[in-house]
Amino acid sequence: MKVERSVTKNNIAKTLPAQKRVPAWVMPAVILGVIAVDTFAAAFSFLFAFTVREGDPIFSSTAWAWSKDFVPYAGIIYFAIPIRIAMLWYQRAYRFSGAFSYTQEATKVFKAAAVGSLLVVAWAFLFRGGFAFREFSYARGVFVLDFLIAFVLLGVLHLGLRFIQSRFRMRGINLLPTLIVGTNAEAGQTIKQLGERRQLGYRVIGAVDSCGASDKDLRVFVAETSVPIVGKIDDLADLIRDLEIQEVIITDNTVASEHLFESMLQIGRSQRVEFRFAPSLFNLLPQKTSVEQIGVLPMVRLFREPLSDVQRFIKRASDIVISTIAIVLLAPVWLAVSILIKLDSSGPIFFRQERVGMDGRVFLCYKFRTMAANADEQLHREAYQKNIGGESDANAGNVTKPVFGKVKDDPRITKFGRRLRRSSLDELPQLLNVLKGDMSVAGPRPPIPYEVEEYDIWHRKRLDMKPGITGLWQVSGRNRLTFEEMVRIDLFYIENWSLWLDLKIILLTLPAVLRDDGAK
């Protein structure tokens, strides 16, 4: 049976009413409801902070009015409530369409609460109620408590709201109608990810043939993705209008820019559509550039050094603080793991292995021992060589084959060592390497010397920064990634480093470990 290149718009449109779309008035009503709750939370946090810090009544006991003690603060609360709502709006905390993450949501609330509190303090100490209370001294503790209470309360409310939203999305509600432009491998991967993770908030309506693929290729694509081909790239604007598309994800980087520009012009501003580009990992380009002028010529300069002196200082300081706190808090875990290792097998508690650090410097990397003492490393070396060479039997998606330098059912691993690896607790001693300065908390994966011997020239760029206990490679798929993909991600991390990126990676590492995301 021949698969048609495109499905008629009428047939596709018939499927839209059955896709659990909520009426148009529902989301504005939800947003107003959330704003109302946030308004109450902002008022409560300030009033409660005043009560705890001052211990005075808020309302007068003789009339329906503020108490004498609270009057100087009354002008502040009138400013504090709207400014908190405004900051939440500015941080897009009331945007309930598209993808979200709990980490990003907590960050939004923190930024909104912090900036809002700074503005409230500026209002209180600079304006002072229109100089009516110029001689009055506001209690600083009230503002500190207000910030803490507001952050916790608003954080719990918004994270809880996102959890409820994800439950609705799993039932097919609150999903954006999405069109995929492309029928390549990246398109299939994007469709699969959006389908498996419906909590991201996207419903793929169909795909657009962007390159004039053959009927055979389209049949394979439809069979593999269960997504119809709804048209060609020339029909993009009509498809967006007729199918009421709100998101267009372009996975084919060969699509001519004039096609997209013309589609945007034809759609106009009446229909809000987001265009996104989903580049392959193999197309990541350095983004840290600066524009300089040489004579009368503007020049774009790529950063030759991954981090400036200030950035290196910030990263090193954060490494020392985080690793010190982690070692102190996890001391009981270290003790328990050490005892269990000794009970499980004979040999030392720690395993030391040469790794290659920044600029090719070799250092001893510490880990809890997970293998039998004096285990032969030849099997491990062969697995790395296959993975770097891109051989077919090193397919990262096949858990029965060597993956990312690891071997399935490795006979050298002890019984307790296998559990350590699954939980990633065997990497805890690397915190000592962080304190010594050989490693960072977040960074590229630390390679082994015989792995580096197999590197191409461009692979060595990942040695421009200290290796990390965790990294972007770990939270982006861990050992399911091929070696080439891992290198691309490491280079992307180096070019785009920021303290916020490190914190985000650290926060995302724990759930990646807890769900056993490829650590086997």
Side-chain angles (χ1 to χ4, degrees), residues 307 311-327 430-431 433-443 465-469 493 497 499 502-503 506:
L307 298 181
Q311 289 175 323
R312 282 198 295 270
F313 174 81
I314 293 173
K315 186 170 177 62
R316 180 57 182 154
S318 65
D319 284 340
I320 293 175
V321 172
I322 293 173
S323 59
T324 301
I325 294 175
I327 290 174
Q430 292 178 15
L431 291 169
N433 289 115
V434 176
L435 280 181
K436 290 176 60 180
D438 296 324
M439 294 180 64
S440 179
V441 174
M465 187 177 284
K466 289 181 182 179
I469 299 176
Y493 169 83
W497 179 87
L499 185 59
D502 273 3
L503 294 176
I506 293 169

Side-chain angles (χ1 to χ4, degrees), residues 132-254:
F133 306 104
R134 68 176 66 190
E135 302 299 330
F136 182 81
S137 179
Y138 290 102
R140 294 174 177 82
V142 172
F143 302 105
V144 174
L145 286 174
D146 175 49
F147 162 71
L148 295 175
I149 297 171
F151 171 60
V152 173
L153 191 56
L154 293 173
V156 171
L157 289 174
H158 280 259
L159 291 178
L161 184 63
R162 291 298 188 178
F163 176 80
I164 295 173
Q165 183 184 20
S166 66
R167 297 304 97 188
F168 275 101
R169 286 181 171 181
M170 295 302 293
R171 298 188 179 189
I173 301 174
N174 187 231
L175 302 179
L176 292 177
T178 304
L179 203 60
I180 303 296
V181 177
T183 55
N184 49 11
E186 286 78 11
Q189 184 179 11
T190 301
I191 293 171
K192 181 180 178 182
Q193 286 292 318
L194 296 181
E196 291 178 348
R197 303 178 63 185
R198 301 181 73 179
Q199 67 273 19
L200 292 177
Y202 298 95
R203 183 194 303 279
V204 179
I205 302 298
V208 174
D209 179 17
S210 59
C211 57
S214 65
D215 289 335
K216 179 180 178 181
D217 291 336
L218 293 180
R219 284 198 298 269
V220 172
F221 182 86
V222 173
E224 291 180 347
T225 62
S226 300
V227 169
I229 307 298
V230 297
K232 300 180 181 180
I233 188 65
D234 294 333
D235 306 322
L236 183 58
D238 292 333
L239 290 169
I240 292 173
R241 280 195 298 263
D242 295 340
L243 302 180
E244 300 178 14
I245 298 299
Q246 297 181 40
E247 292 276 341
V248 177
I249 300 178
I250 302 146
T251 62
D252 187 354
N253 58 9
T254 64

Side-chain angles (χ1 to χ4, degrees), residues 288-418:
K288 283 195 173 182
T289 60
S290 61
V291 178
E292 299 176 345
Q293 188 165 341
I294 302 178
V296 295
L297 299 176
M299 296 286 180
V300 178
R301 176 181 179 271
L302 298 178
F303 285 121
R304 291 172 293 177
E305 296 293 334
L307 298 181
S308 65
D309 292 338
V310 174
Q311 289 175 323
R312 282 198 295 270
F313 174 81
I314 293 173
K315 186 170 177 62
R316 180 57 182 154
S318 65
D319 284 340
I320 293 175
V321 172
I322 293 173
S323 59
T324 301
I325 294 175
I327 290 174
V328 173
L329 293 179
L330 296 174
V333 178
W334 286 54
L335 179 60
V337 170
S338 300
I339 294 174
L340 291 173
I341 290 175
K342 295 299 292 185
L343 294 176
D344 181 59
S345 62
S346 59
I349 294 174
F350 295 102
F351 171 72
R352 296 186 299 173
Q353 185 181 45
E354 284 189 347
R355 295 290 180 113
V356 180
M358 187 172 66
D359 299 328
R361 291 191 292 267
V362 178
F363 68 97
L364 283 179
C365 180
Y366 303 118
K367 299 179 70 173
F368 281 123
R369 182 174 59 83
T370 59
M371 294 185 179
N374 302 319
D376 186 6
E377 67 176 20
Q378 185 59 34
L379 190 62
H380 195 247
R381 180 190 293 261
E382 292 174 356
Y384 266 109
Q385 291 173 340
K386 290 180 179 180
N387 193 275
I388 296 173
E391 296 183 20
S392 58
D393 63 350
N395 182 3
N398 188 347
V399 296
T400 64
K401 302 293 177 68
V403 179
F404 210 43
K406 295 184 179 180
V407 182
K408 179 70 174 178
D409 298 326
D410 193 334
R412 303 170 300 168
I413 302 177
T414 63
K415 183 178 180 180
F416 181 65
R418 198 172 304 279

